[in-house]
Amino acid sequence: MSSAPKKQALFIASLITLWYSSNIGVILLNKFLLSNYGFRFPIFLTMCHMSACAAFSYVSIVFLKLVPLQLIKSRPQFIKIATLSVVFCASVVGGNVSLRYLPVSFNQAVGATTPFFTAVFAYLMTFKREAWVTYAALVPVVTGVIIASGGEPSFHLFGFIMCISATAARAFKSVLQGVLLSSEGEKLNSMNLLLYMSPIAVLVLLPSTLIMEPNVLEATLSLGREHKFMWLLLLVNSATAYAANLTNFLVTKHTSALTLQVLGNAKGAVAVVISILLFRNPVTVMGIGGYVITVLGVVAYGEAKRRFK
């Protein structure tokens, strides 16, 4: 192998490692803060994430020029981005709230149903139909989660509802993005979209935090005095949230759609294994079996979609 392909392979391997580390890291840190550390403020935590994304996105695009800056060209385009930002907020907050009540392993199992919700919203909003084989592949996706729910020792109904809602909102956002920003003049790459969505998300989350988590500052300051690494944890967690978005963009740019799909499926499984080892949450054969069925369904769905385009 010559020097150039070796360097390219090393670069892609490093990107994938960083992508895995940041994505799994932010989930585990969220769980640790919200469940094990006594930090009970998922909306404020999401606001910290969005603030970090806004600041780091600005530095990355305006100063470091990782991608060209794309300007908002019209008021309608801004309204569309603001709408996406609200949906994006709902998905992140829902996911963080669910981590207060559910183990990461079950959270990831439910999150794996994203393709099901994407297919439903794509059909309802764009009337886009897939081949019947593609829809058939979604049956094990849903069946697996039903089985995993029945076999989950730490099942919590409210946490489950929030997790399903977050998963549906994530799928809705991806379909809505395709609908709203469909014209060539309005399309933004994911890094520029994050640059504009993050500050809007902060403006939405600030009043929500003050109303729904009124004692957040007092409790956070108290935790900061009690645990000397509290502020460092929040800072690392917020920076990791941005790193997850950045590495997702870079991996998408430098690998094929199929590679990304395979890596994405494997990432969920890796997160489940690490979380079980770290948090020691009880698992059952039924729960693991349900998750495996869901992942196999997601793999079959991706393959069917690729073959029956």
Side-chain angles (χ1 to χ4, degrees):
M1 193 185 271
S2 63
S3 179
K6 264 187 184 177
K7 283 182 180 176
Q8 179 69 5
L10 186 64
F11 172 69
I12 291 172
S14 303
L15 266 185
I16 292 165
T17 304
L18 285 170
W19 181 48
Y20 267 48
S21 303
S22 56
N23 273 267
I24 295 169
V26 77
I27 294 166
L28 297 177
L29 278 170
N30 286 350
K31 177 65 180 173
F32 179 69
L33 279 166
L34 294 166
S35 287
N36 299 55
Y37 206 75
F39 185 81
R40 311 288 187 196
F41 307 104
I43 301 173
F44 178 70
L45 182 64
T46 307
M47 193 177 81
C48 291
H49 289 179
M50 292 299 105
S51 301
C53 285
F56 285 126
S57 292
Y58 188 80
V59 171
S60 299
I61 294 172
V62 176
F63 293 106
L64 301 179
K65 302 191 186 299
L66 290 182
V67 293
L69 175 65
Q70 295 173 288
L71 299 173
I72 296 176
K73 295 174 182 175
S74 64
R75 188 178 174 185
Q77 187 187 14
F78 173 77
I79 292 169
K80 290 173 183 178
I81 291 167
T83 305
L84 283 173
S85 183
V86 171
V87 177
F88 180 54
C89 265
S91 70
V92 179
V93 169
N96 285 342
V97 169
S98 75
L99 283 171
R100 269 193 66 184
Y101 303 98
L102 299 175
V104 173
S105 51
F106 186 56
N107 177 279
Q108 289 295 292
V110 176
T113 61
T114 302
F116 168 76
F117 289 104
T118 304
V120 170
F121 286 127
Y123 180 77
L124 293 175
M125 293 166 66
T126 67
F127 305 106
K128 182 185 175 185
R129 292 189 179 188
E130 305 282 359
W132 71 267
V133 179
T134 308
Y135 288 123
L138 289 169
V139 174
V141 173
V142 179
T143 306
V145 168
I146 294 168
I147 294 169
S149 301
E152 177 52 56
S154 309
F155 183 83
H156 189 286
L157 183 60
F158 178 70
F160 177 70
I161 290 168
M162 292 308 295
C163 196
I164 279 282
S165 302
T167 305
R170 193 159 54 244
F172 180 62
K173 184 242 168 193
S174 67
V175 176
L176 190 66
Q177 186 175 326
V179 172
L180 294 182
L181 302 177
S182 56
S183 68
E184 284 302 318
E186 290 186 334
K187 277 183 183 174
L188 297 171
N189 63 48
S190 60
M191 293 311 297
N192 274 275
L193 190 58
L194 187 66
L195 171 69
Y196 293 120
M197 284 199 309
S198 302
I200 298 168
V202 173
L203 293 175
V204 171
L205 290 166
L206 181 59
S208 304
T209 303
L210 294 173
I211 294 165
M212 299 174 77
E213 299 172 345
N215 63 330
V216 61
L217 285 177
E218 182 188 337
T220 305
L221 289 169
S222 174
L223 273 171
R225 285 191 293 270
E226 197 178 324
H227 304 281
K228 59 181 178 180
F229 295 114
M230 172 69 198
W231 298 108
L232 181 63
L233 260 178
L234 263 182
L235 182 65
V236 170
N237 184 238
S238 301
T240 308
Y242 172 72
N245 283 285
L246 175 64
T247 52
N248 188 64
F249 169 77
L250 292 172
V251 169
T252 306
K253 184 179 175 183
H254 291 283
T255 63
S256 68
L258 181 62
T259 305
L260 190 72
Q261 184 188 319
V262 172
L263 290 170
N265 292 332
K267 179 167 61 68
V270 172
V272 166
V273 172
I274 293 174
S275 73
I276 291 169
L277 292 173
L278 278 178
F279 297 110
R280 307 282 179 185
N281 56 282
V283 289
T284 62
V285 173
M286 189 177 172
I288 293 169
Y291 178 67
V292 170
I293 291 168
T294 294
V295 171
L296 290 174
V298 171
V299 172
Y301 171 76
E303 185 62 21
K305 204 170 177 186
R306 189 173 66 86
R307 288 193 180 191
F308 297 97
K309 270 186 179 179

